[in-house]
Amino acid sequence: MKLPPTTCFPLLILDPPYVCREEREREREREREREREREREREREREREREREREREREREREREREREREREREREREREREREREREREREREREREREREQKITTCIGREAATLLSLPAYKSCRLVLACRDVDKLDLASLASVQQCYRDFIAHFGPSASLDVLVLNAGRAHFESRVAQLTADGFEVTLQTNFLGHVLLTELLLPHLRRAAQPRLVFLSSSLHDPDSRSRSSDVPTVATSSYRSGIQNTKPPPDVDLATLFSIQDKSPLSGRWIYQTSKLAGMLYLYALQRREAGQSPLRCCAISPGFIPQTNLFRNSSALVTRTVHEGGVIIARVCTDDALPLGREPSHDMEAELGCAPTQGAGYFVLNNASQVEAVWSSDRSYHAALAEELYTAALARCAPYL
Ligand SMILES: NC(=O)c1ccc[n+]([C@@H]2O[C@H](COP(=O)([O-])OP(=O)(O)OC[C@H]3O[C@@H](n4cnc5c(N)ncnc54)[C@H](OP(=O)(O)O)[C@@H]3O)[C@@H](O)[C@H]2O)c1
């Protein structure tokens, strides 16, 4: 059989697979392209994911930074707390320091040191009566309180008790004071505390002292009882007097006992605290010597004054400064020795020149004592004025007149 020439059926049959291959090839190519596109898309997606991851990482980093900042803040807060704690500790330390100062205020006066020593066998194990200041006990700035103290003594020991030693230790000094301050009794407070109160106590207890075998009256004086008088012993602590010479305002000249005005000082009138302290101590010396002259030949009483030296640790002169200083213990030692020493030296008496020139009179065995550089009790001269017999008698009489209502 002969086929028509236009017939090409077999080819048509053959062609579709060919076309199909082409098409499939393109299709695959497109598919691959899509695949690559998807791949790129996935890649972009991964990239975005990585970007988000980096962002999260940065966020975590910022969070860590914020946490570190909070930690630093907490650390600063802890540091501030530690600083506050240190400040509280410093405040507690300052409070303890103030407490120690208050303790010292109670414990550093030389009277307390002397009392401690006098209770020891080395100082005859004395039986002590401490008329310490208290709301219920002795206030030397009140004559009624002194009288009450004496009544308490009698009530406790009986009217016929004998007294071996009376120590007049208490004293006050307000050098910065510029106006007079009066007590309820109407006397200048330093004068009454350091002098008049002691006079009344001594006069009340005198009969009891006279009953003892070797009685002593011991008065805490001061080298300041006359800054003008040059010490005649190199061992007496010297105190500068240049403040007077250079003319400190509101101070009076060196002390003298002006009896016309001493007991009539007015409240709030101008008055140097230093002057009245010095005057009170000079008045005490004059009284002591006058009493000794009166007792001479009548009783074995010895009247002893002490200059303990400059002791800045006590309350009295806590804020002062001086080159020559003594310790509280040394102050206690000289009091205890003057109270109990059987070999206490005799006091110095005024020279014939002083008797002639100044009207001084022998003190009949009274003494003015210091602790010398060898730590021995030494009798030295007191100020020229302190030996003035007529002035002493006048003062004695005037002081007793003020005390009379309580005797
Ligand atoms: N420290 C010195 O450098 C020095 C130098 C020369 C002479 N002095 C003399 O030594 C003596 C003792 O002085 P201090 O250095 O030991 O001084 P302080 O520490 O001030 O002691 C003075 C004592 O006197 C007492 N006192 C004050 N006013 C009183 C009053 N109205 N009634 C009763 N007691 C009163 C005080 O009692 P409160 O504790 O209750 O106040 C204290 O116990 C004083 O007479 C002083 O003039 C001292």
Side-chain angles (χ1 to χ4, degrees), residues 1 4 7 14 31-32 60 179 199 220 222 227 248 273 277 285 334 355 358 363 399 405:
M1 175 179 88
T7 304
L14 288 173
E31 184 53 31
R32 279 196 296 274
R60 284 195 294 271
V179 289
V199 170
L220 265 290
S222 163
I248 282 187
Y277 176 79
M285 296 294 299
I334 187 170
E355 287 180 31
L358 305 166
T363 56

Side-chain angles (χ1 to χ4, degrees), residues 105 108-111 131-134 138-141 168-172 193-194 198 220-223 277 281 306-312 314-317:
K105 195 176 165 177
T108 55
C109 58
I110 56 182
C132 296
R133 185 155 57 150
D134 191 283
L138 174 62
D139 178 4
L140 281 164
L168 305 172
N169 168 74
R172 81 192 289 276
T193 306
N194 296 3
H198 286 317
L220 265 290
S221 183
S222 163
S223 59
Y277 176 79
K281 291 297 180 185
I306 291 174
S307 172
F310 187 68
I311 304 169
T314 67
N315 284 329
L316 212 65
F317 299 127

Side-chain angles (χ1 to χ4, degrees), residues 96-363:
R96 285 195 290 271
E97 183 60 32
R98 287 192 288 270
E99 188 56 34
R100 280 195 291 274
E101 281 186 3
R102 282 194 289 273
E103 277 279 301
Q104 280 178 351
K105 195 176 165 177
I106 297 165
T107 58
T108 55
C109 58
I110 56 182
R112 183 191 167 105
E113 181 69 11
T116 306
L117 292 172
L118 284 166
S119 66
L120 302 175
Y123 294 96
K124 299 189 176 178
S125 304
C126 296
R127 186 182 180 197
L128 301 167
V129 180
L130 302 177
C132 296
R133 185 155 57 150
D134 191 283
V135 281
D136 299 325
K137 294 182 187 162
L138 174 62
D139 178 4
L140 281 164
S142 157
L143 295 175
S145 172
V146 175
Q147 186 187 51
Q148 186 55 48
C149 175
Y150 173 68
R151 285 178 179 157
D152 292 346
F153 176 86
I154 294 296
H156 198 85
F157 297 101
S160 55
S162 72
L163 183 64
D164 293 305
V165 185
L166 172 60
V167 184
L168 305 172
N169 168 74
R172 81 192 289 276
H174 282 215
F175 281 12
E176 68 285 359
S177 166
R178 291 287 173 264
V179 289
Q181 189 196 334
L182 299 196
T183 65
D185 295 309
F187 303 109
E188 201 287 324
V189 63
T190 301
L191 183 75
Q192 185 167 344
T193 306
N194 296 3
F195 172 63
L196 207 54
H198 286 317
V199 170
L200 177 58
L201 189 63
T202 305
E203 293 296 323
L204 288 167
L205 289 169
L206 207 48
H208 303 273
L209 279 168
R210 288 185 185 125
R211 287 192 196 108
Q214 290 182 312
R216 282 179 195 173
L217 175 64
V218 178
F219 169 62
L220 265 290
S221 183
S222 163
S223 59
L224 289 178
H225 78 274
D226 188 352
D228 251 5
S229 77
R230 282 237 157 255
S231 161
R232 277 158 284 187
S233 163
S234 59
D235 290 325
V236 179
T238 54
V239 180
T241 59
S242 56
S243 56
Y244 282 107
R245 297 189 187 110
S246 63
I248 282 187
Q249 291 201 340
N250 293 329
T251 57
K252 287 195 172 185
D256 207 340
V257 178
D258 175 8
L259 290 174
T261 57
L262 195 59
F263 294 116
S264 55
I265 293 170
Q266 297 298 304
D267 195 25
K268 303 276 184 295
S269 57
L271 185 78
S272 154
R274 182 186 175 100
W275 179 85
I276 196 68
Y277 176 79
Q278 293 175 288
T279 304
S280 70
K281 291 297 180 185
L282 175 59
M285 296 294 299
L286 286 161
Y287 168 76
L288 207 73
Y289 290 166
L291 179 62
Q292 185 70 76
R293 290 188 193 100
R294 285 167 169 246
E295 289 293 304
Q298 310 288 318
S299 82
L301 180 69
R302 282 198 66 182
C303 296
C304 309
I306 291 174
S307 172
F310 187 68
I311 304 169
Q313 294 97 327
T314 67
N315 284 329
L316 212 65
F317 299 127
R318 187 177 292 283
N319 298 321
S320 307
S321 60
L323 294 178
V324 184
T325 61
R326 293 285 188 189
T327 63
V328 173
H329 178 68
E330 287 172 317
V333 164
I334 187 170
I335 296 174
R337 290 212 191 135
V338 171
C339 287
T340 57
D341 206 341
D342 290 328
L344 189 68
L346 286 173
R348 299 284 182 106
E349 296 291 357
S351 68
H352 291 301
D353 287 350
M354 286 167 66
E355 287 180 31
E357 280 174 37
L358 305 166
C360 293
T363 56

